[in-house]
Short mmCIF file of all heavy atoms in Angstrom, two decimals:
data_model
loop_
_atom_site.label_atom_id
_atom_site.label_comp_id
_atom_site.label_asym_id
_atom_site.label_seq_id
_atom_site.Cartn_x
_atom_site.Cartn_y
_atom_site.Cartn_z
N ILE A 1 -6.14 -22.42 9.50
CA ILE A 1 -4.69 -21.84 9.62
C ILE A 1 -4.00 -22.07 10.91
O ILE A 1 -2.80 -22.44 11.06
CB ILE A 1 -4.53 -20.42 9.17
CG1 ILE A 1 -3.15 -19.97 8.84
CG2 ILE A 1 -5.15 -19.40 10.20
CD1 ILE A 1 -2.94 -18.62 8.21
N ILE A 2 -4.77 -22.00 12.04
CA ILE A 2 -4.17 -22.20 13.29
C ILE A 2 -3.81 -23.70 13.52
O ILE A 2 -2.76 -23.98 14.14
CB ILE A 2 -5.15 -21.70 14.51
CG1 ILE A 2 -5.45 -20.19 14.22
CG2 ILE A 2 -4.53 -21.99 15.81
CD1 ILE A 2 -4.32 -19.34 14.31
N GLN A 3 -4.68 -24.54 13.00
CA GLN A 3 -4.36 -25.98 13.40
C GLN A 3 -3.13 -26.39 12.56
O GLN A 3 -2.46 -27.41 12.92
CB GLN A 3 -5.55 -26.83 12.82
CG GLN A 3 -6.87 -26.67 13.73
CD GLN A 3 -7.74 -25.61 13.27
OE1 GLN A 3 -7.26 -24.53 12.84
NE2 GLN A 3 -9.01 -25.90 13.43
N ASN A 4 -2.79 -25.64 11.57
CA ASN A 4 -1.60 -26.17 10.79
C ASN A 4 -0.36 -25.16 10.83
O ASN A 4 0.38 -25.12 9.87
CB ASN A 4 -2.00 -26.12 9.27
CG ASN A 4 -3.04 -27.18 9.05
OD1 ASN A 4 -2.87 -28.33 9.11
ND2 ASN A 4 -4.38 -26.75 8.75
N VAL A 5 -0.28 -24.43 11.92
CA VAL A 5 0.78 -23.47 11.98
C VAL A 5 2.18 -24.23 12.28
O VAL A 5 2.30 -25.30 12.71
CB VAL A 5 0.56 -22.51 13.19
CG1 VAL A 5 -0.64 -21.67 13.02
CG2 VAL A 5 0.54 -23.23 14.50
N PHE A 6 3.16 -23.59 11.78
CA PHE A 6 4.52 -23.93 12.25
C PHE A 6 4.73 -23.69 13.62
O PHE A 6 4.22 -22.64 14.25
CB PHE A 6 5.58 -23.01 11.42
CG PHE A 6 5.79 -23.43 10.07
CD1 PHE A 6 5.16 -22.68 8.96
CD2 PHE A 6 6.40 -24.61 9.71
CE1 PHE A 6 5.32 -23.03 7.68
CE2 PHE A 6 6.60 -24.97 8.31
CZ PHE A 6 6.00 -24.19 7.36
N THR A 7 5.52 -24.43 14.32
CA THR A 7 5.99 -24.26 15.78
C THR A 7 7.42 -24.06 15.86
O THR A 7 7.99 -23.69 14.89
CB THR A 7 5.48 -25.42 16.67
OG1 THR A 7 6.02 -26.70 16.23
CG2 THR A 7 3.92 -25.50 16.54
N GLU A 8 8.08 -24.45 16.99
CA GLU A 8 9.51 -24.23 17.12
C GLU A 8 10.35 -25.26 16.40
O GLU A 8 11.48 -25.01 16.08
CB GLU A 8 9.82 -24.26 18.56
CG GLU A 8 9.63 -25.56 19.27
CD GLU A 8 8.18 -25.45 20.09
OE1 GLU A 8 7.32 -24.78 19.59
OE2 GLU A 8 8.03 -26.28 21.02
N ASN A 9 9.68 -26.40 15.92
CA ASN A 9 10.48 -27.29 15.07
C ASN A 9 9.38 -27.92 13.97
O ASN A 9 8.25 -27.92 14.33
CB ASN A 9 11.18 -28.39 15.78
CG ASN A 9 10.34 -29.35 16.58
OD1 ASN A 9 9.56 -30.17 15.99
ND2 ASN A 9 10.25 -29.29 17.94
N LEU A 10 10.01 -28.40 12.92
CA LEU A 10 9.13 -28.79 11.82
C LEU A 10 8.24 -30.08 12.10
O LEU A 10 7.19 -30.14 11.52
CB LEU A 10 9.92 -29.11 10.55
CG LEU A 10 10.75 -27.88 9.97
CD1 LEU A 10 11.55 -28.29 8.81
CD2 LEU A 10 9.62 -26.85 9.46
N ALA A 11 8.67 -30.78 13.01
CA ALA A 11 8.08 -32.02 13.49
C ALA A 11 6.88 -31.92 14.38
O ALA A 11 6.11 -32.72 14.53
CB ALA A 11 9.05 -33.13 13.98
N LYS A 12 6.93 -30.65 15.06
CA LYS A 12 5.88 -30.48 16.10
C LYS A 12 4.63 -29.77 15.67
O LYS A 12 4.69 -28.71 14.82
CB LYS A 12 6.50 -29.70 17.25
CG LYS A 12 5.58 -29.51 18.37
CD LYS A 12 6.32 -28.71 19.57
CE LYS A 12 5.31 -28.48 20.73
NZ LYS A 12 6.05 -27.69 21.81
N SER A 13 3.42 -30.20 16.09
CA SER A 13 2.14 -29.44 15.70
C SER A 13 1.72 -28.76 16.98
O SER A 13 2.06 -29.07 18.09
CB SER A 13 1.12 -30.49 15.18
OG SER A 13 0.90 -31.43 16.19
N ILE A 14 0.79 -27.84 16.69
CA ILE A 14 0.33 -26.98 17.85
C ILE A 14 -0.64 -27.82 18.71
O ILE A 14 -1.43 -28.76 18.05
CB ILE A 14 -0.38 -25.72 17.38
CG1 ILE A 14 -0.67 -24.83 18.58
CG2 ILE A 14 -1.78 -26.00 16.67
CD1 ILE A 14 -1.01 -23.35 18.18
N GLU A 15 -0.72 -27.71 19.89
CA GLU A 15 -1.45 -28.48 20.77
C GLU A 15 -2.86 -27.93 21.04
O GLU A 15 -3.92 -28.71 21.12
CB GLU A 15 -0.85 -28.75 22.25
CG GLU A 15 0.49 -29.47 22.02
CD GLU A 15 1.25 -29.60 23.42
OE1 GLU A 15 0.65 -29.10 24.44
OE2 GLU A 15 2.28 -30.26 23.43
N ASN A 16 -3.07 -26.56 21.12
CA ASN A 16 -4.31 -25.91 21.42
C ASN A 16 -4.50 -24.92 20.44
O ASN A 16 -3.76 -23.84 20.35
CB ASN A 16 -4.32 -25.44 22.83
CG ASN A 16 -5.52 -24.71 23.26
OD1 ASN A 16 -6.68 -24.86 22.50
ND2 ASN A 16 -5.58 -23.92 24.29
N SER A 17 -5.55 -25.06 19.50
CA SER A 17 -5.70 -24.04 18.52
C SER A 17 -6.69 -22.84 18.96
O SER A 17 -6.77 -21.86 18.34
CB SER A 17 -6.49 -24.65 17.29
OG SER A 17 -7.72 -25.21 17.68
N GLY A 18 -7.22 -22.93 20.19
CA GLY A 18 -7.98 -21.85 20.79
C GLY A 18 -9.32 -21.68 20.16
O GLY A 18 -9.76 -22.41 19.18
N ASP A 19 -10.12 -20.68 20.66
CA ASP A 19 -11.43 -20.40 20.12
C ASP A 19 -11.42 -19.60 18.88
O ASP A 19 -10.67 -18.62 18.83
CB ASP A 19 -12.14 -19.59 21.31
CG ASP A 19 -13.61 -19.27 20.81
OD1 ASP A 19 -14.15 -19.99 20.08
OD2 ASP A 19 -14.17 -18.32 21.45
N GLN A 20 -12.18 -19.86 17.87
CA GLN A 20 -12.21 -19.32 16.57
C GLN A 20 -13.42 -18.39 16.46
O GLN A 20 -13.56 -17.65 15.47
CB GLN A 20 -12.28 -20.32 15.55
CG GLN A 20 -10.97 -21.24 15.43
CD GLN A 20 -9.90 -20.71 14.75
OE1 GLN A 20 -9.89 -20.10 13.70
NE2 GLN A 20 -8.68 -20.82 15.38
N SER A 21 -14.41 -18.43 17.41
CA SER A 21 -15.72 -17.74 17.22
C SER A 21 -15.58 -16.24 17.03
O SER A 21 -16.49 -15.63 16.48
CB SER A 21 -16.63 -18.10 18.35
OG SER A 21 -16.09 -17.67 19.61
N HIS A 22 -14.58 -15.57 17.62
CA HIS A 22 -14.39 -14.17 17.60
C HIS A 22 -13.91 -13.57 16.27
O HIS A 22 -13.87 -12.43 16.06
CB HIS A 22 -13.43 -13.66 18.70
CG HIS A 22 -12.11 -14.09 18.59
ND1 HIS A 22 -11.70 -15.42 18.81
CD2 HIS A 22 -10.95 -13.38 18.12
CE1 HIS A 22 -10.35 -15.49 18.60
NE2 HIS A 22 -9.87 -14.25 18.21
N LYS A 23 -13.44 -14.53 15.41
CA LYS A 23 -12.79 -14.09 14.19
C LYS A 23 -13.86 -13.97 13.07
O LYS A 23 -15.02 -14.33 13.13
CB LYS A 23 -11.83 -15.24 13.69
CG LYS A 23 -10.67 -15.40 14.76
CD LYS A 23 -9.74 -16.45 14.22
CE LYS A 23 -8.53 -16.67 15.24
NZ LYS A 23 -7.59 -17.63 14.74
N MET A 24 -13.44 -13.22 12.02
CA MET A 24 -14.36 -12.91 10.91
C MET A 24 -14.77 -14.22 10.23
O MET A 24 -14.04 -15.03 9.96
CB MET A 24 -13.65 -12.00 9.90
CG MET A 24 -14.61 -11.69 8.74
SD MET A 24 -13.75 -10.57 7.43
CE MET A 24 -13.79 -9.12 8.37
N PRO A 25 -16.10 -14.45 10.01
CA PRO A 25 -16.52 -15.59 9.09
C PRO A 25 -15.91 -15.67 7.83
O PRO A 25 -15.62 -14.60 7.15
CB PRO A 25 -18.10 -15.33 9.01
CG PRO A 25 -18.39 -14.48 10.19
CD PRO A 25 -17.25 -13.65 10.31
N THR A 26 -15.54 -16.83 7.47
CA THR A 26 -14.84 -17.06 6.07
C THR A 26 -15.47 -16.55 4.97
O THR A 26 -14.88 -15.90 4.10
CB THR A 26 -14.58 -18.59 5.99
OG1 THR A 26 -14.02 -19.13 7.14
CG2 THR A 26 -13.60 -18.84 4.74
N ASP A 27 -16.81 -16.72 4.83
CA ASP A 27 -17.63 -16.18 3.75
C ASP A 27 -17.60 -14.70 3.58
O ASP A 27 -17.55 -14.20 2.51
CB ASP A 27 -19.03 -16.73 3.67
CG ASP A 27 -19.69 -16.29 4.92
OD1 ASP A 27 -19.20 -15.80 5.91
OD2 ASP A 27 -20.99 -16.58 5.01
N ARG A 28 -17.54 -14.04 4.73
CA ARG A 28 -17.45 -12.48 4.63
C ARG A 28 -16.08 -12.04 4.09
O ARG A 28 -15.96 -11.15 3.23
CB ARG A 28 -17.77 -11.87 5.95
CG ARG A 28 -17.58 -10.41 5.92
CD ARG A 28 -18.24 -9.65 7.17
NE ARG A 28 -17.96 -8.25 7.09
CZ ARG A 28 -18.50 -7.37 6.27
NH1 ARG A 28 -19.27 -7.65 5.36
NH2 ARG A 28 -18.10 -6.07 6.40
N CYS A 29 -15.06 -12.74 4.55
CA CYS A 29 -13.61 -12.40 4.07
C CYS A 29 -13.67 -12.70 2.60
O CYS A 29 -13.04 -11.86 1.81
CB CYS A 29 -12.67 -13.17 4.80
SG CYS A 29 -10.87 -12.78 4.37
N VAL A 30 -14.18 -13.72 2.08
CA VAL A 30 -14.15 -14.10 0.61
C VAL A 30 -14.93 -13.08 -0.06
O VAL A 30 -14.45 -12.55 -1.23
CB VAL A 30 -14.80 -15.52 0.44
CG1 VAL A 30 -14.92 -15.73 -1.04
CG2 VAL A 30 -13.87 -16.62 0.97
N ARG A 31 -16.07 -12.64 0.37
CA ARG A 31 -16.89 -11.67 -0.29
C ARG A 31 -16.18 -10.37 -0.47
O ARG A 31 -16.08 -9.70 -1.55
CB ARG A 31 -18.24 -11.43 0.35
CG ARG A 31 -19.14 -10.35 -0.41
CD ARG A 31 -20.42 -10.22 0.29
NE ARG A 31 -21.21 -9.16 -0.29
CZ ARG A 31 -22.00 -9.22 -1.44
NH1 ARG A 31 -21.91 -10.41 -2.18
NH2 ARG A 31 -22.56 -8.23 -2.00
N LEU A 32 -15.52 -9.88 0.62
CA LEU A 32 -14.81 -8.55 0.57
C LEU A 32 -13.56 -8.73 -0.39
O LEU A 32 -13.14 -7.77 -0.96
CB LEU A 32 -14.36 -8.18 1.99
CG LEU A 32 -15.56 -7.75 2.92
CD1 LEU A 32 -15.15 -7.57 4.33
CD2 LEU A 32 -16.36 -6.57 2.44
#
């Protein structure tokens, strides 16, 4: 979701998506 975020204009993509390791693992979110 971070790699595909909207920015200040529709034609611009984000340059730095940052570290994802601190976030909840996808499979746990799906299970819950």
Side-chain angles (χ1 to χ4, degrees):
I1 192 170
I2 300 300
Q3 290 91 321
N4 295 293
V5 296
F6 285 104
T7 62
E8 60 266 28
N9 65 71
L10 293 175
K12 183 180 178 181
S13 58
I14 194 168
E15 296 178 359
N16 181 15
S17 59
D19 181 23
Q20 301 275 314
S21 61
H22 66 285
K23 299 181 179 181
M24 178 180 287
T26 310
D27 58 351
R28 175 161 174 76
C29 182
V30 171
R31 178 175 176 80
L32 293 175

